Amino acid sequence: MLVFYEERLALLSVPKTGSTAYQSALKDRADIVVSGPTELKHANMRRFDRFYQTMFKKLFDTEMEVMAVVRDPIDWLGSWYRYRTRQELNNHPHSTQGLDFEAFVVAHMQKSPPACADVGRQSEFLMPRSNGAGVSHVFKYENQGTILDFLRNRLNCDIQLPQENVSPKLKLELSKDTDQQFRSLFAAEFALHQSAE
């Protein structure tokens, strides 16, 4: 997570949406950089609002606008799947070793997914508290030019985005039935992505 105090902007780090690259590119420009532990780096909207936004309100009588990046839901799951095939995760509950993408998505759709497929939902990550304002700006991951233009204009700086945390390249194929079932069960995820800039 990055906070730019003068510009009144916070960039949430939605997992698997390029947040590590943005942290690398903007860490020297940000006023607050939260790079760990994972629970703080990837603070969701509710956690940001409860702790960080409350602090800004109480100490400075101001609020941050919040921006986030979301990914096409199938592409997002594909990134999680590929990331969890890494050899260093072998024999770990999060490892997807031995699973094809279809089995991973089917596991993710279970009411209580196994650890390897329990990655949450982007819509839940961005869900505001009942009395919170929510995310001000939501961008599509594939619209990197739009994201960079917004940040360059808002922060008045040039941004060179490095490639970071790149997952291995693997085939990501779903049967028609699984694809349809996923799109039906996770309609809110597709609606969120569709509504993003």
Side-chain angles (χ1 to χ4, degrees):
M1 181 179 62
L2 300 169
V3 176
F4 307 92
Y5 179 75
E6 292 298 326
E7 291 79 13
R8 302 297 192 267
L9 181 68
L11 170 56
L12 296 186
S13 293
V14 181
K16 311 313 295 168
T17 62
S19 57
T20 302
Y22 279 96
Q23 276 209 346
S24 292
L26 294 168
K27 64 185 176 193
D28 294 334
R29 176 66 177 76
D31 297 296
I32 298 173
V33 178
V34 184
S35 57
T38 301
E39 293 78 10
L40 295 180
K41 175 186 177 181
H42 295 294
N44 61 29
M45 187 62 219
R46 292 177 304 286
R47 187 171 291 150
F48 176 84
D49 194 37
R50 179 183 297 150
F51 298 107
Y52 293 94
Q53 199 73 285
T54 298
M55 174 183 66
F56 289 119
K57 287 178 190 173
K58 286 186 176 177
L59 294 178
F60 306 108
D61 193 29
T62 193
E63 289 186 38
M64 297 296 121
E65 287 184 32
V66 178
M67 71 171 284
V69 177
V70 295
R71 205 163 173 165
D72 170 84
I74 293 174
D75 186 44
W76 188 69
L77 280 185
S79 183
W80 272 114
Y81 168 74
R82 293 190 319 270
Y83 181 72
R84 290 184 166 187
T85 62
R86 294 170 300 134
Q87 283 190 337
E88 56 264 36
L89 285 180
N90 283 358
N91 301 316
H92 189 281
H94 289 158
S95 175
T96 55
Q97 203 71 33
L99 283 181
D100 62 15
F101 184 54
E102 174 103 6
F104 175 76
V105 172
V106 169
H108 179 70
M109 288 191 288
Q110 293 177 17
K111 192 170 185 175
S112 297
C116 68
D118 189 7
V119 297
R121 298 181 184 203
Q122 294 176 101
S123 63
E124 289 176 359
F125 188 96
L126 298 183
M127 186 181 300
R129 293 196 303 160
S130 58
N131 60 347
V135 180
S136 316
H137 309 279
V138 183
F139 295 94
K140 290 179 177 153
Y141 172 83
E142 58 270 27
N143 291 347
Q144 291 296 318
T146 303
I147 300 166
L148 287 168
D149 286 347
F150 174 81
L151 286 169
R152 286 176 181 136
N153 290 332
R154 187 70 177 258
L155 304 178
N156 194 26
C157 70
D158 189 36
I159 302 167
Q160 300 301 319
L161 203 60
Q163 281 218 320
E164 299 265 354
N165 216 9
V166 179
S167 299
K169 295 205 181 301
L170 296 168
K171 270 191 175 180
L172 302 176
E173 296 176 347
L174 292 179
S175 68
K176 187 175 178 183
D177 286 348
T178 298
D179 184 84
Q180 287 176 341
Q181 184 182 8
F182 179 74
R183 288 176 186 278
S184 175
L185 282 173
F186 290 81
E189 303 305 301
F190 288 94
L192 170 65
H193 179 258
Q194 187 64 35
S195 70
E197 296 179 50

